[in-house]
Amino acid sequence: MTEADPGMTRQRRQLITGVKGSLRELRVALALLNHRVGTRVELKDVDLDCLDILGRQGPLSPSGLARLAGLHPATITGILDRLERGGWVVRERAPGDRRAVNVRIVPGRNAEIFRQFAGMNALMDELCDGYTDAELELIADFLRRTSTAGQSATDQLASE
């Protein structure tokens, strides 16, 4: 059933609308948090995004990072120049191919960013303490599926 389904009850439509509204509010709240953290560590929001991708994925080629970040390769070059000047990342020759370059995070450098998110992490720990393991599994599944839907919507827009 979709929101436009005439067989859907009014209560269910309201619940779905509430979930979508909450996700929009969360997006704004997290964007503001990231912006505030970025300001404190003198990074742009997109710089934080790229550092997060590198932190989760490990060393990547600039083109691989551009693809995962959904950015043009020329844009990634500017971001990496900025991150390298700030001591956040290093570019290294890829093993086995002296022409290829990988980008990796400077070990320990992200501790400064993690400190900025400590308040949010503590609040999330408190929030999660109020849920059972089964409820947390359901929430994690919903968030994974929401992330996948967002990626699919992004891919669809990129291909138009």
Side-chain angles (χ1 to χ4, degrees):
M1 264 195 281
T2 64
E3 193 172 355
D5 186 341
M8 186 184 304
T9 66
R10 178 185 167 122
Q11 180 184 6
R12 183 160 178 87
R13 278 194 307 273
Q14 288 174 337
L15 288 171
I16 291 170
T17 298
V19 168
K20 290 177 181 178
S22 293
L23 287 172
R24 284 192 303 275
E25 290 172 13
L26 175 61
R27 187 204 62 78
V28 170
L30 292 178
L32 292 171
L33 175 63
N34 285 341
H35 184 71
R36 181 66 49 100
V37 167
T39 299
R40 287 183 172 208
V41 296
E42 298 179 352
L43 292 173
K44 296 181 178 190
D45 296 358
V46 70
D47 299 345
L48 285 173
D49 292 342
C50 289
L51 285 173
D52 186 49
I53 291 168
L54 288 168
R56 286 184 288 117
Q57 300 290 322
L60 291 168
S61 67
S63 61
L65 179 59
R67 186 175 18 80
L68 290 172
L71 298 169
H72 190 276
T75 303
I76 282 293
T77 299
I79 292 167
L80 292 178
D81 288 347
R82 210 170 32 248
L83 290 173
E84 195 170 38
R85 276 192 311 271
W88 295 97
V89 301
V90 292
R91 294 174 182 154
E92 301 173 325
R93 294 282 174 220
D97 185 351
R98 58 191 179 125
R99 292 172 297 148
V101 172
N102 282 337
V103 180
R104 72 168 174 79
I105 293 176
V106 172
R109 186 68 165 98
N110 277 351
E112 187 176 346
I113 294 172
F114 293 140
R115 278 193 301 277
Q116 297 300 319
F117 284 107
M120 179 63 171
N121 284 327
L123 290 169
M124 290 304 302
D125 288 343
E126 287 178 31
L127 181 66
C128 288
D129 282 345
Y131 292 96
T132 66
D133 288 353
E135 290 170 328
L136 288 173
E137 287 175 14
L138 179 66
I139 293 166
D141 177 65
F142 174 78
L143 292 173
R144 274 190 299 273
R145 292 168 71 185
T146 300
S147 179
T148 299
Q151 185 61 54
S152 294
T154 300
D155 293 346
Q156 184 178 9
L157 285 174
S159 67
E160 291 178 354

